[in-house]
Structure formats: structure tokens, C-alpha cells
Amino acid sequence: MRARKPTLIEMCKAQGRRITGQRKIIAEVISSASDHPDVLELHRRAVLKDNRISLSTVYRTLKIFAEIGLIEQHSFEGGRFRVERASGSHHDHLIDTDSGKVIEFRSEEIERLQTEIALKLGFELTGHRLELYGRPLK
Amino acid sequence: MRARKPTLIEMCKAQGRRITGQRKIIAEVISSASDHPDVLELHRRAVLKDNRISLSTVYRTLKIFAEIGLIEQHSFEGGRFRVERASGSHHDHLIDTDSGKVIEFRSEEIERLQTEIALKLGFELTGHRLELYGRPLK
DNA sequence: TTCCTTATTGCAAATAATTTGCATTAACAA
DNA sequence: TTGTTAATGCAAATTATTTGCAATAAGGAA
């Protein structure tokens, strides 16, 4: 039997946090999202499952999840913050400027170049942000 | 005699805009900035030269300059918009996370890879954002 | 130069996104 | 079951930016 990846809630509990109904639901919404919803959208989806979840709680819960490293918050060009479950493996994003959809990708080549460039400029790379914006080819 | 690069104000005039005292000063502040100041900082500097410049005017002027393509506005991680005079030549940014300073760089290699990746994903690259974050090496 | 039209400005109020104070509720350990 | 206290909901506060509107001033016409 293979070790299962712990759920958001399990990780949360492991941090000594209380497992509330609203946290369970917000975690569920995030886990089952295949897109990169923004906070308002998350709240909308959460309220569908339990209409007693306030927007502040969504904000607070996201902040906690982010601190523990369970999710990542991205701010793409000219929009609100958008959320995705941390996948463990790093990737960058291509944003479809027609639809707003987000496509994930990863390039070892680019990762390597970034470290190299930082080094050449006299810096130790601690993070980066790479976003491509494009229109689908016909 | 070689053609001189037109000033922000000249470009502005060429667009049929009125040349006001505040626009002259804001243009001056931007042109003489060697860093990437945010709006509040620009306003602070502008007020030093003429204390009758309001923050809204700075915002409005920046919007106009940006529309004409005279400046670029960047939103680096977790901060306000920061402004730089458009240089004509594209470059990316490395942000010193200790000091907040911004270093410009350009890598043909990375530019090329980006176009290639987008293409591979079925997209025509229309824009991108690349920011490196790092700490200076000792 | 002076006058006239209308873009531009300053100010205060409006938005928009997010955060916070506080009284109430509910997790969960004893 | 109960007591402690983290978490919640709500409304109000923040922060960054935009906008309505009356007053001002650029710049072409006379």
C-alpha cells in the first residue's frame, strides 16, 4: 500500500489548526478546482455547499493555506489574485488572453537560464515569476 | 546632426495633448529617475518642484503616458505599481529582495524559449512577464 | 494681446480588493 | 459535558486607484 498525499485538511490539522466546517468546504472547493479561480469565485463555489461562509473567512482561510504552503496565489496581469493548490512541482503559466484560461508548463531550460542570469548579476535566485500571454493559434 | 530622441512632452504634444505645467514636471521626474518609483514616490518628487500637483493628476498623467507608450507600469510582487520610462528595448527585471532595488537585464535565449514554448502549447505569444527575485551574493 | 472653447486640474467622494475589531459561536481537550 | 479560546460573521477600516464636478488654464482664433 502506497502513502497517500495528505489532504489540505489533514495538513491543516497537523499544524494544530481547528477543523471547522467552513475550512473543510473551502479545502474541498480548492482541491476539486481544475482551474485557477479568484477569491470571489471560490467564495461563490463555497457558498453553494454551505451558505453560511463569509468572504472574510475565505480570505482568512486562504491566507492560512498559503502560509502552510498548501496553495499558491498568483496575480496575473490586470486581475485579482487567483488561487491554485500547490502541486509540489514548480511550473509557470501561460494565460490565454482571449478566455483568461491558464495553462501550466515547465521548462528546465528556462529554469536553468534564470539561475544563471541571477548569478551573473551577482544574485542568489530566491524566486521568480514567469507568465506568458498569448492567443490560441487557429 | 543626429536626430534626438523626442522628450515625453514632445511626444505628448504630438498626440494633440495640452502641455500643462504639471505634465512637464511629471515628465521631468520620470525622465530623471534612474530607479523604478511607485506612484506615491513620483508624486512626492513632483510636489518638490511644484506643490500644486495633486495625486489624481499624477495617476491621470501616468495613464496617458502609458497609453501613448511612453512609460511602462510594472507590478512587482506584493507591491504597488512602479513606473519606468519606456526605453524602446525590451528587458526583464531582477528585484533585490533585500533592498527592493530593480536591476534590468535581457536574455535573447530566454526570449527565444518563450516564443517556442508558447508555440508548442498552441499559442501565439503576445506578451510576457519575467521577474527574478534574489539576494545579493556576498 | 485678448478672448473663447474645452481639455485639464484639484478636491472630495466613489470604487474595488482586502483586512481588521469585536462580540458571538463552535472545536476539541480535559 | 463543560471550559477555554480559536474561528467566524458582520460591519467598519484600509489601501490603491478612479471618477464627478466645478474651477482653471492651454492654446488656437480674432
Side-chain angles (χ1 to χ4, degrees):
Chain A
M1 202 191 283
R2 205 149 57 71
R4 191 177 39 79
K5 192 188 323 186
T7 64
L8 290 182
I9 285 304
E10 285 164 351
M11 301 272 317
C12 210
K13 186 169 219 160
Q15 297 275 327
R17 298 277 179 179
R18 291 186 181 173
I19 305 311
T20 65
Q22 17 295 67
R23 280 185 190 165
K24 277 189 228 167
I25 289 178
I26 295 169
E28 233 173 272
V29 169
I30 293 173
S31 290
S32 63
S34 60
D35 50 352
H36 295 61
D38 63 29
V39 181
L40 254 38
E41 179 58 25
L42 280 178
H43 181 238
R44 237 173 269 128
R45 295 182 195 178
V47 165
L48 289 180
K49 305 196 173 205
D50 182 335
N51 68 329
R52 282 166 312 183
I53 296 180
S54 76
L55 186 57
S56 349
T57 294
V58 176
Y59 272 111
R60 280 190 276 232
T61 303
L62 290 180
K63 181 175 267 186
I64 289 171
F65 285 180
E67 268 167 19
I68 309 182
L70 301 177
I71 60 165
E72 283 173 27
Q73 312 206 112
H74 304 288
S75 74
F76 300 129
E77 227 156 55
R80 304 195 247 306
F81 276 98
R82 296 170 69 165
V83 174
E84 80 176 298
R85 159 135 215 213
S87 64
S89 72
H90 168 75
H91 57 252
D92 295 308
H93 298 95
L94 184 155
I95 294 92
D96 180 338
T97 51
D98 287 358
S99 69
K101 275 216 195 76
V102 176
I103 290 132
E104 303 175 354
F105 69 86
R106 173 170 178 80
S107 161
E108 301 304 336
E109 191 77 1
I110 285 191
E111 301 290 324
R112 192 182 52 66
L113 277 170
Q114 289 177 356
T115 311
E116 195 178 289
I117 289 169
L119 215 60
K120 210 174 292 179
L121 294 171
F123 284 79
E124 181 204 344
L125 194 65
T126 56
H128 76 262
R129 171 153 80 170
L130 172 59
E131 290 153 23
L132 306 184
Y133 296 87
R135 259 192 310 268
L137 294 166
K138 272 165 301 293
Chain B
M1 204 189 281
R2 205 150 54 72
R4 190 176 41 77
K5 192 191 320 188
T7 63
L8 290 182
I9 285 304
E10 283 164 352
M11 302 272 316
C12 208
K13 187 168 218 160
Q15 296 275 327
R17 300 274 178 181
R18 290 186 182 173
I19 305 312
T20 66
Q22 21 288 74
R23 280 184 189 165
K24 275 190 230 168
I25 288 179
I26 294 169
E28 233 173 271
V29 169
I30 293 173
S31 290
S32 64
S34 60
D35 50 354
H36 296 62
D38 64 28
V39 181
L40 254 38
E41 178 58 27
L42 280 178
H43 181 237
R44 237 172 268 129
R45 296 181 194 178
V47 166
L48 289 180
K49 304 194 174 205
D50 182 335
N51 67 329
R52 282 165 314 182
I53 296 180
S54 75
L55 186 56
S56 354
T57 294
V58 176
Y59 272 110
R60 281 190 277 233
T61 303
L62 290 180
K63 181 176 265 186
I64 289 171
F65 285 179
E67 268 166 19
I68 308 181
L70 301 178
I71 60 165
E72 283 173 27
Q73 312 205 112
H74 304 289
S75 73
F76 299 129
E77 227 158 54
R80 304 195 246 310
F81 275 99
R82 296 170 68 166
V83 173
E84 79 176 299
R85 158 134 218 212
S87 64
S89 72
H90 167 75
H91 57 253
D92 295 307
H93 299 95
L94 185 154
I95 295 92
D96 180 337
T97 51
D98 286 358
S99 69
K101 275 217 193 75
V102 176
I103 289 131
E104 303 175 355
F105 69 88
R106 173 171 179 79
S107 160
E108 301 303 336
E109 191 78 359
I110 283 191
E111 300 289 324
R112 193 181 51 67
L113 276 169
Q114 290 177 355
T115 311
E116 195 178 289
I117 289 168
L119 215 60
K120 211 174 291 179
L121 294 171
F123 283 79
E124 181 203 345
L125 193 66
T126 56
H128 76 262
R129 169 154 79 172
L130 171 59
E131 290 154 22
L132 305 183
Y133 296 87
R135 258 193 309 270
L137 295 166
K138 272 166 300 296

